[in-house]
Amino acid sequence: MFDAERIRRDFPILSTASHGKRFVYLDSAATSQKPKSVIDAIVDYYNTYNANINRGVYEISERATDAFIASKEKLAKFIGAHGIEETIYVRNATEALNLVALSWGERNIKSGDHILITEMEHHSNIVPWQMLAKRKGAVLDYVKLTHGMAYLDMEDLEAKLEKSPKLVSVTHVSNVLGTVNDVKRITKLAHECGATVLIDGAQSVPHMRVDVAAIGCDFMALSGHKMLAPTGIGALYGRRELLEAMEPVLGGGDMIRSVSMHGATWNDLPWKFEAGTSNIEGAIGLGAALDYLDGIGMDSVREHEQELTRYAMDRFSEINAVSVFGPPASDIENRSGVMAFAIKGVHPHDVATIFDREGIAIRAGHHCAMPLVTQLVTEKALSRMSFYIYNTKEDVDRVVDAVGVVKRIMRIKD
Ligand SMILES: Cc1ncc(COP(=O)(O)O)c(C=O)c1O
């Protein structure tokens, strides 16, 4: 049985108070909180086997290397990759997306080529393509949104695929709308047009069962810190043949097989893309985070978040002054636990500030998705709450009470 209250107790920060009240954390789409098992795994590494990996022959270095590789094996299994060769460790999803642009993109995108992304992308899946398109003289196309800007317009996608883009890069889950895109179908359509497909999994991998083989994508980017791991560790999944054919972006230690005065040859995958000393504590923390999530089961994670989202949308529907963006409650199957909302007549920063005083952490602003948010609202900002395994219906009730406080302070009538 899923027990969010019990899970909550595994997260030390959630037993702290905020402004004298039970702390309600609703900003997991920005970064998740960390369970004690993850914190302990990192502390244990520094206390008992801190050493560099892949080169020492002494006991603790071998132990650190084993833990690093075990983390990669866990991640490969978690996302359905074939093995550790297909999991490149980077700092975060942003770096993973940039790695594709700088390596695969540099070689494969030519002047006049089309790159297709969507209007619901995070800046991390926009700016690298703008930069690449500028360098190469390529064309950057955007799939439009439809149905009150809640979904990708699949007709527009198909029309733009007719221009035979070399790359289609799409977010699995929108960090603003909460929309869960049908990335399997998008990948199939894109492959039929000869495109390579990159999925931004930053908001999906932490929250639902994601299987890169079932999706069929060529690349996927993800961030560890949004899925219980520390900051500074993320991954790029890539199909082995593609990664084999790609050139490394950074040169240095570990990524080489041999170096002479005149040149170098590259190491095997995944090390070819991991120059220099890795984020060892991050990888160990990610390994512990994956163990924790596996212990709960990703289907249970998803079910819990859907239940909370349904409950929150239900409660918000009682308040006329509140509007919620993204797919409606009736389409919870295609919604994640990310909820951007607006309170009529109140700036989102005021909402977030008043919420903070009520002990509730939410995010307000453009959510690194300015092309989307500027189309959604004239204020160019939205409030956003986002759920994870440690949130409860009581948290939602606290939010509804806080909306009441906002309305009272700002003198908003329903
Ligand atoms: C959809 C999406 N993509 C990419 C990112 C970038 O993640 P990071 O900042 O960890 O690189 C985020 C972060 O919020 C995101 O929500």
Side-chain angles (χ1 to χ4, degrees):
M1 240 290 273
F2 192 96
D3 183 352
E5 279 298 343
R6 191 193 52 72
I7 288 173
R8 209 181 139 86
R9 288 198 288 277
D10 288 339
F11 290 75
I13 204 168
L14 298 179
S15 62
T16 60
S18 172
H19 296 282
K21 301 184 171 104
R22 178 193 200 252
F23 180 40
V24 175
Y25 185 73
L26 289 168
D27 197 19
S28 296
T31 198
S32 73
Q33 294 303 341
K34 323 300 172 197
K36 192 163 180 307
S37 60
V38 167
I39 299 165
D40 286 349
I42 297 165
V43 171
D44 183 46
Y45 162 65
Y46 283 121
N47 275 339
T48 67
Y49 62 106
N50 170 46
N52 212 330
I53 56 165
N54 285 346
R55 54 191 82 147
V57 290
Y58 50 93
E59 189 184 356
I60 59 167
S61 173
E62 283 174 357
R63 217 182 129 198
T65 304
D66 288 348
F68 189 85
I69 291 174
S71 161
K72 276 182 177 276
E73 283 166 347
K74 283 176 201 172
L75 181 69
K77 190 156 167 268
F78 195 80
I79 59 169
H82 287 111
I84 69 164
E85 298 78 12
E86 294 187 330
T87 56
I88 315 296
Y89 273 180
V90 290
R91 283 186 305 143
N92 45 38
T94 302
E95 191 171 309
L97 294 160
N98 276 275
L99 177 53
V100 178
L102 291 168
S103 177
W104 183 92
E106 205 56 37
R107 174 171 284 200
N108 291 286
I109 299 292
K110 309 259 173 343
S111 173
D113 283 348
H114 283 241
I115 300 166
L116 184 56
I117 60 172
T118 84
E119 289 186 356
M120 64 164 80
E121 301 307 318
H122 185 280
H123 295 162
S124 298
N125 199 25
I126 300 175
V127 183
W129 311 118
Q130 290 175 337
M131 292 162 81
L132 179 67
K134 195 165 172 201
R135 278 199 307 277
K136 297 288 185 171
V139 180
L140 185 59
D141 279 337
Y142 292 80
V143 178
K144 288 193 169 50
L145 306 190
T146 183
H147 291 85
M149 303 222 37
Y151 298 95
L152 288 181
D153 182 338
M154 293 301 282
E155 276 176 25
D156 192 49
L157 172 93
E158 290 193 38
K160 284 176 178 149
L161 283 176
E162 280 178 13
K163 292 181 185 154
S164 301
K166 283 276 171 60
L167 178 78
V168 174
S169 189
V170 177
T171 193
H172 194 170
V173 171
S174 161
N175 68 312
V176 176
L177 303 167
T179 314
V180 181
N181 291 317
D182 186 351
V183 286
K184 189 171 176 181
R185 178 161 170 235
I186 292 169
T187 299
K188 186 168 174 285
L189 293 170
H191 278 166
E192 280 165 10
C193 297
T196 295
V197 178
L198 166 57
I199 304 295
D200 177 354
Q203 297 293 349
S204 61
V205 178
H207 301 282
M208 58 189 70
R209 186 180 296 280
V210 173
D211 186 323
V212 289
I215 294 168
C217 58
D218 300 297
F219 297 106
M220 182 176 280
L222 62 96
S223 279
H225 70 93
K226 293 185 197 290
M227 50 192 296
L228 312 182
T231 44
I233 187 80
L236 173 69
Y237 156 78
R239 270 202 304 114
R240 193 186 178 130
E241 310 86 87
L242 288 172
L243 294 174
E244 297 277 12
M246 280 159 53
E247 286 292 304
V249 171
L250 297 177
D254 268 353
M255 53 74 69
I256 51 86
R257 169 157 307 132
S258 69
V259 181
S260 72
M261 301 267 271
H262 309 291
T265 57
W266 310 147
N267 202 347
D268 294 333
L269 291 173
W271 318 112
K272 179 172 93 169
F273 293 103
E274 298 187 20
T277 298
S278 298
N279 180 356
I280 304 165
E281 62 160 275
I284 289 168
L286 178 57
L290 294 170
D291 286 342
Y292 190 91
L293 288 171
D294 269 336
I296 297 173
M298 292 311 290
D299 291 338
S300 302
V301 172
R302 173 88 173 120
E303 256 172 53
H304 173 67
E305 291 179 19
Q306 281 180 317
E307 195 181 323
L308 283 182
T309 307
R310 204 181 285 116
Y311 181 67
M313 291 187 84
D314 210 40
R315 295 242 36 209
F316 270 180
S317 71
E318 297 159 9
I319 316 169
N320 287 331
V322 173
S323 44
V324 176
F325 296 82
S330 56
D331 190 24
I332 211 80
E333 280 314 310
N334 295 308
R335 249 208 103 100
S336 77
V338 169
M339 274 178 73
F341 63 96
I343 304 181
K344 207 167 114 203
V346 189
H347 195 279
H349 286 126
D350 292 333
V351 175
T353 306
I354 295 170
F355 270 46
D356 173 53
R357 284 197 348 224
E358 296 301 310
I360 304 169
I362 61 160
R363 187 149 291 246
H366 54 61
H367 309 292
C368 295
M370 287 172 83
L372 170 63
V373 173
T374 50
Q375 289 189 72
L376 288 174
V377 278
T378 45
E379 293 90 342
K380 301 184 169 78
L382 285 169
S383 305
R384 180 188 74 185
M385 59 180 185
S386 48
F387 300 122
Y388 211 5
I389 45 178
Y390 34 68
N391 292 116
T392 62
K393 286 190 178 163
E394 189 189 330
D395 293 349
V396 176
D397 293 338
R398 286 273 302 277
V399 165
V400 172
D401 291 347
V403 171
V405 177
V406 172
K407 282 170 57 187
R408 216 169 39 247
I409 293 176
M410 305 305 282
R411 297 176 200 282
I412 303 294
K413 300 248 180 310
D414 223 14

